[in-house]
Amino acid sequence: SPFNINLTNRLLINDLVNMGIEAFEYQNNLTEGTANNLGIGVTEAMKMNKEFAAIAANGNQGFVTADVIENYKALRDEIGDTSIATAEVAGSMTNVVKSLKIGTAEAAMFYKQVMLTDGLTAQAAENTLILGKNLADASGVNFQNVMADVAKSGKQFQNYFGKSTKDMLKAAVAARKMGLALSMLIF
């Protein structure tokens, strides 16, 4: 009889059903979390999670969908424009945060400056940060301190000197190399 399934097969079927339920619960929780974190509807959250999941799957720094969501929220809150703060930009920022070990808030601020002030792309922001990290390493300077300086005084530096974000990053590294903070170059 087709309904006469041996115990081993019943256990396998039970395991498959449980895995399906767990996957559904995970997706449901992820969608609910995205909707709550971003203040959007469930349908929009489901659509965005597909984008975020694809970006996380293609990331080379071992990040997950939740990391991309966190960075998207930080970007959206910092920039305030969802045509600029996109899932792709959040993916780029997540890659930088993970690979350079910098904070989400500093990265979001930096992306905002590069994209709005300099009119550059997310890829250019990523390349600029990698360049800054390499310059800091070559100068024997802690990159996290440089990023903290940029977050604290970068906008004032750009307003005072009228320089690009890349120039501001170079100045922050140079200041740190001399034992100073970026703010000390302004005032």
Side-chain angles (χ1 to χ4, degrees):
S1 156
F3 295 105
N4 187 10
I5 301 173
N6 68 30
L7 181 61
T8 304
N9 287 341
R10 275 192 259 162
L11 290 174
L12 285 172
I13 291 169
N14 189 45
D15 287 346
L16 288 173
V17 169
N18 286 338
M19 287 189 320
I21 290 170
E22 287 173 14
F24 176 76
E25 286 175 350
Y26 173 79
Q27 274 306 112
N28 190 39
N29 290 339
L30 186 63
T31 299
E32 187 177 306
T34 300
N36 290 336
N37 278 340
L38 301 180
I40 58 177
V42 172
T43 304
E44 188 178 354
M46 287 173 68
K47 179 183 166 212
M48 292 186 84
N49 276 345
K50 285 181 184 177
E51 285 183 79
F52 296 144
I55 289 166
N58 291 325
N60 59 0
Q61 295 300 325
F63 53 83
V64 296
T65 304
D67 295 327
V68 182
I69 294 167
E70 175 188 355
N71 286 305
Y72 174 81
K73 182 176 185 329
L75 272 171
R76 189 194 66 186
D77 292 350
E78 183 72 35
I79 295 175
D81 182 347
T82 56
S83 68
I84 296 170
T86 64
E88 291 78 18
V89 175
S92 170
M93 189 175 117
T94 304
N95 188 45
V96 165
V97 165
K98 294 292 184 185
S99 64
L100 301 184
K101 296 174 180 48
I102 59 176
T104 296
E106 287 94 357
M109 177 280 314
F110 192 86
Y111 269 69
K112 176 184 179 180
Q113 284 186 243
V114 168
M115 295 179 80
L116 297 181
T117 305
D118 299 346
L120 300 178
T121 64
Q123 186 61 54
E126 190 172 331
N127 293 343
T128 301
L129 279 169
I130 291 168
L131 174 74
K133 170 76 165 108
N134 291 338
L135 181 60
D137 289 349
S139 300
V141 172
N142 182 301
F143 188 63
Q144 282 72 24
N145 291 341
V146 169
M147 287 306 296
D149 288 351
V150 168
K152 181 179 175 188
S153 305
K155 188 171 181 96
Q156 293 162 319
F157 177 87
Q158 283 187 306
N159 289 340
Y160 188 80
F161 290 106
K163 298 287 187 181
S164 72
T165 305
K166 186 184 283 187
D167 291 334
M168 175 209 34
L169 191 57
K170 289 177 184 176
V173 169
R176 278 288 167 180
K177 188 172 181 174
M178 294 184 295
L180 305 170
L182 183 63
S183 62
M184 298 173 114
L185 299 178
I186 303 167
F187 306 108

